[in-house]
Amino acid sequence: MSEHLKLIVEQLNKEPFRKSFNLITFDSLEPMQLLQVLNDVLAEIDPKQDIDIREEMPEQTVKRMCSLLGLLKYKPPGSPSDVSGFRQGLVMGSKPVIHPILHWLLQRLPELKKRAYLAHFLVKLDVPSEFLQDDVVGEIYHQYEELVEAFKTYHRECEQLRSSGFSTADIRKDISTMEVEKDQLINNVEKLKKRVETVANHQRMLEQARLLRVEEERESSLSNQKLEQKNQLFQAEQRLLRAQQQLKDLRQAAADANPESLMKRLEEEIKINSYMVSEKLPKELESVRCTVEYLKKVLSEPAMGQADLVQLEDKIKDVNSQINHLIEKKMIRNDPIDDKLTLYRQQAAIITRKKESKAEELQEAREELAALERELSQRTNQTSGSDGQEVIRYDELNRLVVRLRSKSTAYKKKRQEIAEMKAEYGVLQWTEENLKEKHESVQQKLAEKGISGYSNTQEELEKMSAMKSELDEKKGRTLDDMSEMVNIQRSLVYSSHRLHLPSLILTHKCHFSSIIQEYEEKKAQYESCAAGLESNRSKLEQKLMQRAIDEVKAYVSPDPQEKKKTVREVYLKKISEQELLGKKLREEQKVVRESHAANMEQVKLWKDLEQLMECKRQCFIRAQSQASIGQVIQEGGEDRLVL
């Protein structure tokens, strides 16, 4: 109780009450003062309660406070039948009545303020039914109910806006920024108008510009309409193709199916649907109804305190003890008939659970199928709305993939040929530049030596090649022309031999062919190595995926034996075994550490004992050797005496 008083005093000393109480002054308040404090708290919740109770009759005060507490769903402690005692205590300003009310109100002040605000608009007026028979009164009451529903809608939207994170300061800032931009745009428009007014026929030009803008907008709208109509036509064609494909599939299915299989399938579907309608769905509906009733019951009751929770926990413990007692009685009785019935009940319960689980799986599969179909239609609409094309089907996608692969192979082949041609072109270009440099150096050397006419050999060769082409076109003419052509060819061969071009080209071609051969060998080695690595990678990926799939299947399997085979369970088992082993070794280490000193002392004693025994053994051996020597000496003396 002292904790409740502390909470009440703390809350009354804070905003908005600022009473400056302590435990002694609050506990020493007069009944009328305590009742006024309660009225101040109620006035903070509902401003209509801001009344001086000294100016009001006690019966009216109690009635007003009880009506507000009823709206706030306050439940007085004690039995519900003791209402007159509660009212009497409220009139008298009794501390056992007012202190719990203050504690309950001050704990939930924001929530109760909101509830009191909504109660003024949502608590409907109690109009007698005979008054509602009047048309005017009925129409007004109907309008009143519509206004209540509209208030609910507006209040819900207001709460959503408050919780959405929008700030009025940000909105005002955006509005002010937009107003500044608006003023700037107006100033710019005014400036442009002033500049245009100096131009001749500006009104006619403005009118023509306006007409141009209107026509451009019309053209844009027409183009959009054309695009939309094309998209609609394409979608209609796609829908027609899908419908034709579905009709074809249905005809094939109907041609392949026989009446017996169709009847069997329909019977199975009827059995499943009848089970869902007659058994599963009614049970789920009844459970949902029970849950709703329970929630309504919980909602209608006031908030529970710690004492109520403790009381409920005690009741739960008592009920559990009674259940355990009944189970023990049943086990002691041990009727054989009941045992057989129990076995049958267990089997029936197992079958029922399996049936329910399969029905739930079927329901989940249907819901998943419906969700996937909705998602497919939604994505199809989104895709067709964005670019005007339908989503391709799986078989079409496979055909596209095959075509892309073939085209990719051809593309790679052509790209390789282009790369080879570029390499060959680079080699030939380098050869040409090298030959040009050598030709220029040879010409310079010949010019230095004073040899004339040699520099024009290339021109003569070109002329001869041109003459050769002309002579090739004039084949079939007289033998004189052919002999002239032979002479020209001989001179061409002689001049080319003079320049030593064939040997140089042949040398570079041999070098280039060796380089190309080496490139082809390296390329073949690279491709074989890459193919091997790719095959190994694909095999490893397949093994890894299969292992991951098996792991997931075993992990989600209801069979405990399958779960034990998962890598997770195996390693968890090994970890637990190693932890147990480590725990055992730590315990042994602890025992060894504790007994180490005593054991070392014992070892030392045993070593001392061993040394003592060894010393005794040595002494015994020495004594025996001395005794044997004395015996030999004595026998020798006796022999001498005899002699």
Side-chain angles (χ1 to χ4, degrees), residues 81 97 119 192 202 242 291 306-307 354 392 520 529 541 597:
S81 61
V97 175
L192 290 173
H202 65 278
R242 285 200 301 270
T291 305
Q306 187 66 29
K354 287 184 179 180
I392 60 175
E520 293 293 335
C529 183
E541 286 181 352

Side-chain angles (χ1 to χ4, degrees), residues 314-326:
D314 294 336
K315 287 183 180 179
I316 291 169
K317 288 180 182 177
D318 294 337
V319 173
N320 288 331
S321 63
Q322 292 177 6
I323 292 170
N324 293 329
H325 185 63
L326 292 174

Side-chain angles (χ1 to χ4, degrees), residues 15 43 55 140 177 219 240 260-261 271 277 335 368 479 630:
E15 292 288 340
E55 300 175 357
I140 293 173
T177 306
E219 182 183 3
L240 178 61
E260 290 80 5
S261 62
K271 287 180 181 179
V277 171
D335 192 356
E368 185 178 0
L479 294 174

Side-chain angles (χ1 to χ4, degrees), residues 270-322:
I270 290 169
K271 287 180 181 179
I272 292 170
N273 293 328
S274 61
Y275 168 73
M276 296 287 289
V277 171
S278 61
E279 295 184 16
K280 186 175 184 299
L281 293 178
K283 289 181 181 179
E284 292 181 355
L285 184 60
E286 186 64 28
S287 64
V288 170
R289 285 177 180 171
C290 294
T291 305
V292 171
E293 292 295 332
Y294 178 73
L295 292 174
K296 286 182 179 178
K297 185 178 178 182
V298 172
L299 185 61
S300 62
E301 293 181 356
M304 301 178 65
Q306 187 66 29
D308 298 331
L309 292 175
V310 172
Q311 187 177 1
L312 285 176
E313 288 178 356
D314 294 336
K315 287 183 180 179
I316 291 169
K317 288 180 182 177
D318 294 337
V319 173
N320 288 331
S321 63
Q322 292 177 6

Side-chain angles (χ1 to χ4, degrees), residues 459-489:
E459 296 177 358
E460 292 178 1
L461 287 174
E462 291 177 356
K463 291 179 181 180
M464 291 178 183
S465 62
M467 293 171 65
K468 179 178 176 297
S469 62
E470 291 177 358
L471 291 173
D472 288 335
E473 294 175 357
K474 296 178 181 180
K475 282 183 179 180
R477 294 184 180 181
T478 58
L479 294 174
D480 296 333
D481 295 332
M482 294 183 68
S483 62
E484 185 179 358
M485 182 182 66
V486 170
N487 293 328
I488 293 170
Q489 286 179 350

Side-chain angles (χ1 to χ4, degrees), residues 9 14 64 153 215 226-227 243 371 424 460 467 567 620:
V9 171
K14 294 179 181 178
R64 178 172 53 81
T153 304
E215 293 298 327
K226 183 179 178 181
L227 182 61
E424 186 175 1
E460 292 178 1
M467 293 171 65
V567 178
F620 179 73

Side-chain angles (χ1 to χ4, degrees), residues 96-315:
V97 175
I98 296 178
H99 284 179
I101 298 174
L102 287 173
H103 182 263
W104 187 79
L105 293 174
L106 293 172
Q107 272 188 329
R108 303 165 177 82
L109 196 60
E111 178 186 353
L112 296 177
K113 288 174 71 174
K114 182 178 179 182
R115 186 178 296 177
Y117 167 74
L118 295 175
H120 291 299
F121 302 98
L122 299 181
V123 176
K124 295 184 179 180
L125 299 175
D126 189 10
V127 181
S129 58
E130 57 269 15
F131 292 162
L132 293 175
Q133 299 298 326
D134 189 2
D135 295 336
V136 178
V137 177
E139 184 178 357
I140 293 173
Y141 190 76
H142 181 66
Q143 292 177 1
Y144 166 70
E145 289 181 342
E146 290 179 352
L147 290 174
V148 170
E149 295 298 328
F151 174 77
K152 290 181 181 179
T153 304
Y154 295 147
H155 179 72
R156 191 181 302 112
E157 292 177 356
C158 180
E159 291 295 327
Q160 290 177 358
L161 288 174
R162 286 176 180 174
S163 60
S164 62
F166 290 109
S167 176
T168 55
D170 296 337
I171 295 173
R172 290 195 186 99
K173 185 177 180 181
D174 294 338
I175 291 171
S176 61
T177 306
M178 293 170 68
E179 288 177 352
V180 171
E181 292 177 355
K182 179 182 176 182
D183 295 336
Q184 291 177 357
L185 290 173
I186 291 171
N187 294 329
N188 293 331
V189 170
E190 293 295 332
K191 290 179 182 179
L192 290 173
K193 283 183 179 180
K194 290 179 181 179
R195 290 174 60 185
V196 170
E197 287 176 355
T198 58
V199 181
N201 297 327
H202 65 278
Q203 291 293 339
R204 185 170 175 274
M205 295 175 68
L206 290 174
E207 183 66 22
Q208 294 296 325
R210 187 183 65 80
L211 294 175
L212 177 62
R213 184 173 64 254
V214 170
E215 293 298 327
E216 287 178 352
E217 292 177 355
R218 186 165 173 268
E219 182 183 3
S220 177
S221 64
L222 290 174
S223 62
N224 292 330
Q225 291 179 3
K226 183 179 178 181
L227 182 61
E228 289 177 358
Q229 290 178 359
K230 284 184 178 179
N231 294 335
Q232 291 175 2
L233 178 61
F234 180 77
Q235 293 174 9
E237 291 176 353
Q238 292 293 326
R239 285 195 294 270
L240 178 61
L241 292 175
R242 285 200 301 270
Q244 290 176 354
Q245 185 65 31
Q246 290 177 0
L247 179 61
K248 184 178 178 182
D249 296 339
L250 290 174
R251 286 177 177 174
Q252 290 180 357
D256 297 336
N258 50 7
E260 290 80 5
S261 62
L262 290 174
M263 290 296 295
K264 187 176 180 181
R265 191 183 308 164
L266 289 173
E267 287 176 358
E268 290 178 355
E269 290 182 359
I270 290 169
K271 287 180 181 179
I272 292 170
N273 293 328
S274 61
Y275 168 73
M276 296 287 289
V277 171
S278 61
E279 295 184 16
K280 186 175 184 299
L281 293 178
K283 289 181 181 179
E284 292 181 355
L285 184 60
E286 186 64 28
S287 64
V288 170
R289 285 177 180 171
C290 294
T291 305
V292 171
E293 292 295 332
Y294 178 73
L295 292 174
K296 286 182 179 178
K297 185 178 178 182
V298 172
L299 185 61
S300 62
E301 293 181 356
M304 301 178 65
Q306 187 66 29
D308 298 331
L309 292 175
V310 172
Q311 187 177 1
L312 285 176
E313 288 178 356
D314 294 336
K315 287 183 180 179

